[in-house]
Structures are given as C-alpha cells and as structure tokens.
Amino acid sequence: MPFFTISTFNANSVRSRLQILERWLIKNPVDVLCLQETKVSDDQFPASAFDSWGYHVFFRGRKAYAGVAIACQGEPNEIIYGFPDGKDGKDDDRLMIARFDDLWVINTYVPQGKSIDHPDYRYKKDFFRRFLDLLESEFKADDKIIWVGDMNVAPEEKDVTKPETKRNHVCFHEEIRDIFDTVKSWGFVDVFRKHHPEEGQYTFWDYRVKNALERNIGWRVDHILATPSVADRSVDCYIDREPRSWEKPSDHTFLVGIFDL
Amino acid sequence: MPFFTISTFNANSVRSRLQILERWLIKNPVDVLCLQETKVSDDQFPASAFDSWGYHVFFRGRKAYAGVAIACQGEPNEIIYGFPDGKDGKDDDRLMIARFDDLWVINTYVPQGKSIDHPDYRYKKDFFRRFLDLLESEFKADDKIIWVGDMNVAPEEKDVTKPETKRNHVCFHEEIRDIFDTVKSWGFVDVFRKHHPEEGQYTFWDYRVKNALERNIGWRVDHILATPSVADRSVDCYIDREPRSWEKPSDHTFLVGIFDL
DNA sequence: GGAACAATTG
DNA sequence: CAATTGTTCC
C-alpha cells in the first residue's frame, strides 16, 4: 500500500495562485491538499482547475477574506463545514473536516488576531477554545486525526526570527502559545517537529520584509499535527520552500506530511 | 535594398503588453513600430525591454492616459514631440514625429471624444484641425510622409459592424469622418485601403463585446496613410489579427505597412 | 473586459 | 509586497 500524503498551503487567494498550484501539484501529487485564505465566494471558486488536475475539491468561502478548501484524489466519505456549535455561523469558512474511511482530516484557518488589544484576538482565543470543545465532544484521542492548517501560532522560540522582538505579537505571545499548547495536549503530536527539530524552519515569509526568503526572516505558523496512532506512522514531514521563490508566490509555502497508514 | 516596414499598435498600456510586443517583434521585425496608449510616465517607460529586442525607443507619456512611442532599428535623425503650436502643452503625448533621412513618420493617438456632446469631442475635432495646420505650415504634399496611429475614426461604412447603430458614435459620426477626410485630402492615401478594399477589416475589437474577435465585431480605427510619393511605393499593408487572440491582448492589434523605398 | 487609480489590509 | 474593494476610462 502506498503512503498517504497530505499538504497544507495558505494560498493567499486561490484564484491568484492557480499557476503555483498547478506547477506544485504536477511535481508533488498528494492524496489531500488543504488550502487556507482562498479569498473567494463559493460561486467564484475555480473548481474546474482542480478537476483538470485530477482532484475533487470542496470549499467554503466568502469574497476577500478567509476561506478554506480541501482537494483530494480519492472520494471523501463526508465533508463537514464549520463548528457544530454553529456560533454566529461565520466560521464555516475557517474550519472544515473531511473523512476518508477512519481517517479524519481537519483543516483550519485560525484568525490572525491583529493585535493583543484588538477584538479579533479575543475571537482567535475563542476559536481555539471552541476547537477544543469540538475535539472533546466529537472525537477521542485514539481516533485517527490529522489536523492541518494555518494556525497563526509559532509554538516555540525557534519558530520565529528574533523572538525577543515578537513577545507581544498575536502569533507569538505567550498566552496564545499556551492556548495552542493546551489544544495540542488534548492529543496531538507536532508531526513536523517529530522529523525536524532544527530552528529557522519557516512556512511564511512576509511580503513586506525585503528578501525575506533569502534572508530567511519568517515564521512557522502552518502545521501538520496528528493523533498518536497516525503520528506514529509518519514517514516524513517537510517544508517545500521552493514555491515561495516562484513567480507570483503566496507569502506562505507548502508543508507536506507523509504517512504509512 | 530591402523593404521599409512600419507597424502601428495601440498597446493599451505598454507595460502590460511587453509579452505581446516581444512575441510579435520576434516574428515580425519592423524598421519602425509606432505605439499609442502607452499609459506610462517617461520615468517608468520600459525602455530596457526595447533595448533587449534591438530597438531604439523614443516616448512621451504620463501615467494612466494616452502616451505615444516610436521604436526603431535604425537611428532617427530627429524626434519631435507635440504640436508646434504648443497649445496647452497637453498633446505632447499624443503626437510625435521621427525623421529618417527624407522620410517623416508621424505617430498620433487622436482623442476618442467620449460622446458627441462631451467637451472631449470638441477637443478631438480641434486635434484634427491643429494637425491640418501643422501639415500646412510645416510640410508639403510632395514630402515623403507616413502618418500612422490610432485615429479613433472609422472612415467608411464597411469599417464598422452595423454602421446604422453607430451614426452617433464619436468614432463614426458623419462630422468626424468628414473632418478626417478633409485632413487626408491635404495629401494622404489610405495605404491599407489601397491593398485591401474588403469590408470587415478591423484593427480594434472591444473587450466588452464577448467573442468579439471570433464574431468579428470590431472597428477599423488604426491607420497607415502616406503621401503619394510613398504610397505609390507601398508593396502591402495588412492587419495581423493574431495578437488579438494571444494571452493578455490589447483590444487593438498590429497594422503593418511595407514599402519599396 | 481589462487597464489604470486610490485606499485598505496583512 | 501583494492581495482586496472600489472608481474611472475606453
């Protein structure tokens, strides 16, 4: 049986990233690709492009902000959008779940939060708390779950450049790292870190920082996590920096996980 | 001695058209290429692209509107920008003249005019009257002159689709056709019409008309005219429709004139 | 429809 | 820097 491969990519507009996506998928066929920040309403989603590349695609989005999608070569058994708590109904484009037999794939685009004193940061913390509620009410830690996405949290000092300058940042503040850690403690292993303990392994390089990629000034905010039964079977997990250097790049790049399920 | 080849092309932003220009010039090297609607200020003009294609380039423009350029493989003896009347100084990016020994090349981007009752239409008519003044004061009809550009006039019924629906259009109104005809009567031959009397020969297809090119719903508003001594030596003059079908096209295409000078 | 502009966001 | 939503122009 071949390996199960999964990737996560914050596209920063899926319509602006079709060339990148096509080029990457040709070289890197995966079973499942999870996208964030598709920034497109469902009626405008470029589904036919994914069709032509041989992928089914499921998506939930609105114009200009957020939006998630899952593209996959096999048929999922079910797709679930948003939190079951259904609170304000605005998060159905930030969280989606696909089931492939007994394997659950959860794709999240966690709110960034703007600044510590901004209401959006409150909302970010709530997002993680509601996500933990979801785990506790709907799953067990011995279920087979892969949780991927842009979590907008750099968990450790080595996951950012100059951590001392970022203590007050919504993606690195001690409080949000603690909250993310609490969610992980429910039962997730950081699959990337299992294979790559090195520092300076980033998935996001700000467009505004010049030569950010060459200077490697970035953040590790995109993650692949898995429950132990799945994580135990991970073969590799790596960041493909290359697409960040291609024409018309996203500010994020692809993170890939390979599992011997 | 090889033929003298000249082309005119409304680029609708020269910076957005570099790929089209490169691709076309590789297949169609010309002695002189006249551009209109470059839509770029002089400090932003992509001169190095023309350099790399083996052309000298001269230009006068402002941001967002109008702008003309002449690219040529040989060195011109002189370049003149704007009307000598210098009125309001705003037309120096709508008219330029290059001299190659005893051959004058005049490149114009005639104002479109918006609508018959708009002040811009008055300005369009003035443009032609001032152009006639220029001819009368600076040239003789036995000079060797090639006048090219986007004239924003379709001279005859056969130069538009459904002429009966366009009688009130600023590019087809009887008044503007009469004015254009008066200017031509100073001493120009329509070189394209000398070789191609057929109807439905267009140089412009509106982006907003869907499948305009396939349905051939367009306008012949770009022209190559010449004084008799030059026109007598024209070998061919044709519209190259192909670039209108390429990726990221202008709404106009290239008109080419070949002369045995 | 596709260029440009300006303003806003991350 | 590169997306977005608007507007205007042809």
Side-chain angles (χ1 to χ4, degrees):
Chain A
M1 172 124 176
F3 293 149
F4 175 84
T5 55
I6 185 167
S7 181
T8 179
F9 177 51
N10 178 317
N12 187 15
S13 173
V14 68
R15 283 177 297 179
S16 295
R17 226 56 68 202
L18 292 178
Q19 298 238 341
I20 293 274
L21 285 163
E22 176 166 33
R23 185 172 170 188
W24 192 81
L25 284 172
I26 286 169
K27 284 187 71 173
N28 305 273
V30 285
D31 293 299
V32 177
L33 172 62
C34 295
L35 300 174
Q36 305 86 37
E37 282 208 88
T38 54
K39 289 186 172 178
V40 63
S41 56
D42 293 348
D43 57 321
Q44 303 280 300
F45 193 97
S48 60
F50 287 84
D51 279 0
S52 73
W53 305 331
Y55 287 80
H56 302 105
V57 67
F58 305 89
F59 42 85
R60 187 61 52 93
R62 56 187 138 154
K63 70 173 179 180
Y65 295 106
V68 285
I70 295 180
C72 45
Q73 301 205 258
E75 284 268 20
N77 305 90
E78 60 181 311
I79 299 279
I80 301 160
Y81 298 98
F83 288 104
D85 67 13
K87 254 184 204 158
D88 78 30
K90 258 173 57 197
D91 297 312
D92 62 342
D93 64 350
R94 290 191 176 271
L95 182 151
M96 67 187 290
I97 302 174
R99 179 168 68 83
F100 300 88
D101 300 320
D102 62 344
L103 177 69
W104 298 89
V105 171
I106 307 180
N107 177 20
T108 57
Y109 174 51
V110 177
Q112 196 256 9
K114 289 201 174 84
S115 62
I116 296 298
D117 56 352
H118 194 283
D120 284 11
Y121 180 63
R122 173 84 259 159
Y123 172 59
K124 179 180 193 171
K125 292 188 287 184
D126 285 346
F127 189 96
F128 278 121
R129 294 203 174 102
R130 291 164 67 203
F131 187 66
L132 186 54
D133 286 347
L134 167 70
L135 294 170
E136 287 172 341
S137 63
E138 308 291 330
F139 295 98
K140 295 192 307 295
D142 62 353
D143 285 342
K144 292 164 71 175
I145 307 171
I146 303 179
W147 172 29
V148 309
D150 180 353
M151 314 301 181
N152 268 313
V153 178
E156 293 182 274
E157 304 281 312
K158 64 185 176 183
D159 293 324
V160 296
T161 40
K162 298 209 182 163
E164 62 280 7
T165 66
K166 294 182 174 65
R167 307 246 171 253
N168 228 24
H169 193 287
V170 287
C171 298
F172 192 63
H173 192 283
E174 192 178 358
E175 183 186 38
I176 204 72
R177 289 156 67 192
D178 284 347
I179 290 170
F180 185 48
D181 206 59
T182 301
V183 177
K184 282 193 283 190
S185 298
W186 174 83
F188 287 107
V189 173
D190 184 327
V191 180
F192 177 77
R193 277 303 177 207
K194 182 185 152 190
H195 296 277
H196 291 282
E198 320 93 85
E199 64 172 16
Q201 293 285 310
Y202 307 133
T203 62
F204 162 77
W205 297 263
D206 197 315
Y207 287 129
R208 290 165 294 183
V209 175
K210 68 174 157 192
N211 300 115
L213 188 68
E214 301 85 306
R215 296 158 69 200
N216 201 33
I217 297 173
W219 300 68
R220 190 174 75 95
V221 290
D222 301 277
H223 302 287
I224 295 180
L225 308 164
T227 47
S229 59
V230 180
D232 284 349
R233 295 186 163 278
S234 72
V235 173
D236 195 6
C237 186
Y238 60 89
I239 296 158
D240 184 358
R241 292 166 54 100
E242 219 188 281
R244 184 61 178 80
S245 70
W246 293 348
E247 283 279 285
K248 279 200 80 188
S250 169
D251 40 5
H252 294 247
T253 197
F254 295 80
L255 173 62
V256 181
I258 302 170
F259 297 87
D260 184 16
L261 298 181
Chain B
M1 171 117 175
F3 293 149
F4 175 83
T5 54
I6 185 168
S7 181
T8 179
F9 177 51
N10 178 318
N12 186 14
S13 173
V14 68
R15 284 177 297 177
S16 295
R17 227 55 68 202
L18 292 178
Q19 298 236 343
I20 293 275
L21 285 163
E22 176 167 33
R23 185 173 170 185
W24 193 80
L25 285 172
I26 286 169
K27 284 188 73 172
N28 305 273
V30 286
D31 293 300
V32 177
L33 172 63
C34 295
L35 299 175
Q36 305 86 35
E37 281 207 89
T38 53
K39 290 187 173 178
V40 64
S41 56
D42 293 348
D43 57 322
Q44 303 281 300
F45 193 96
S48 60
F50 287 84
D51 279 359
S52 73
W53 306 330
Y55 288 79
H56 303 105
V57 67
F58 305 88
F59 42 85
R60 187 61 52 94
R62 56 184 138 154
K63 69 175 179 180
Y65 296 105
V68 286
I70 294 180
C72 45
Q73 301 206 256
E75 285 267 20
N77 305 91
E78 61 181 310
I79 298 280
I80 300 161
Y81 299 99
F83 287 106
D85 67 12
K87 253 185 205 159
D88 77 29
K90 258 173 55 194
D91 296 313
D92 62 342
D93 65 350
R94 290 192 176 269
L95 182 152
M96 66 186 291
I97 303 173
R99 180 169 68 82
F100 300 88
D101 300 321
D102 62 345
L103 176 69
W104 298 90
V105 171
I106 306 179
N107 177 21
T108 57
Y109 173 52
V110 177
Q112 196 257 10
K114 289 199 174 85
S115 62
I116 296 297
D117 56 351
H118 195 282
D120 284 10
Y121 180 63
R122 171 85 260 158
Y123 172 59
K124 179 180 192 170
K125 292 188 287 185
D126 285 346
F127 189 96
F128 279 121
R129 294 202 174 100
R130 292 163 68 201
F131 186 67
L132 185 54
D133 286 347
L134 167 71
L135 294 169
E136 287 173 341
S137 63
E138 308 291 331
F139 295 98
K140 295 193 306 292
D142 63 354
D143 284 342
K144 292 165 71 174
I145 307 171
I146 304 179
W147 173 30
V148 310
D150 179 353
M151 314 301 183
N152 269 313
V153 177
E156 293 184 272
E157 305 282 311
K158 63 185 175 183
D159 294 324
V160 297
T161 39
K162 296 207 182 165
E164 61 281 7
T165 67
K166 295 182 175 62
R167 307 245 171 254
N168 227 25
H169 193 287
V170 287
C171 298
F172 192 63
H173 193 283
E174 192 177 359
E175 182 186 38
I176 203 73
R177 290 155 67 191
D178 284 349
I179 290 170
F180 185 48
D181 206 59
T182 302
V183 177
K184 282 194 284 192
S185 299
W186 174 82
F188 286 107
V189 173
D190 184 328
V191 180
F192 178 78
R193 277 302 176 209
K194 181 184 153 190
H195 296 276
H196 291 281
E198 320 92 87
E199 65 171 14
Q201 293 285 310
Y202 307 133
T203 62
F204 162 78
W205 298 264
D206 196 315
Y207 286 130
R208 291 165 293 185
V209 175
K210 67 175 160 192
N211 302 114
L213 188 69
E214 301 86 305
R215 296 158 69 200
N216 201 33
I217 297 173
W219 300 68
R220 190 174 75 95
V221 289
D222 301 277
H223 302 286
I224 294 179
L225 308 163
T227 48
S229 59
V230 181
D232 283 350
R233 295 187 162 278
S234 72
V235 173
D236 195 8
C237 186
Y238 61 89
I239 296 159
D240 184 358
R241 293 166 52 99
E242 217 189 283
R244 183 62 176 79
S245 70
W246 293 348
E247 283 279 285
K248 278 199 81 185
S250 168
D251 39 6
H252 294 247
T253 196
F254 295 80
L255 173 63
V256 181
I258 301 170
F259 298 87
D260 184 14
L261 299 183

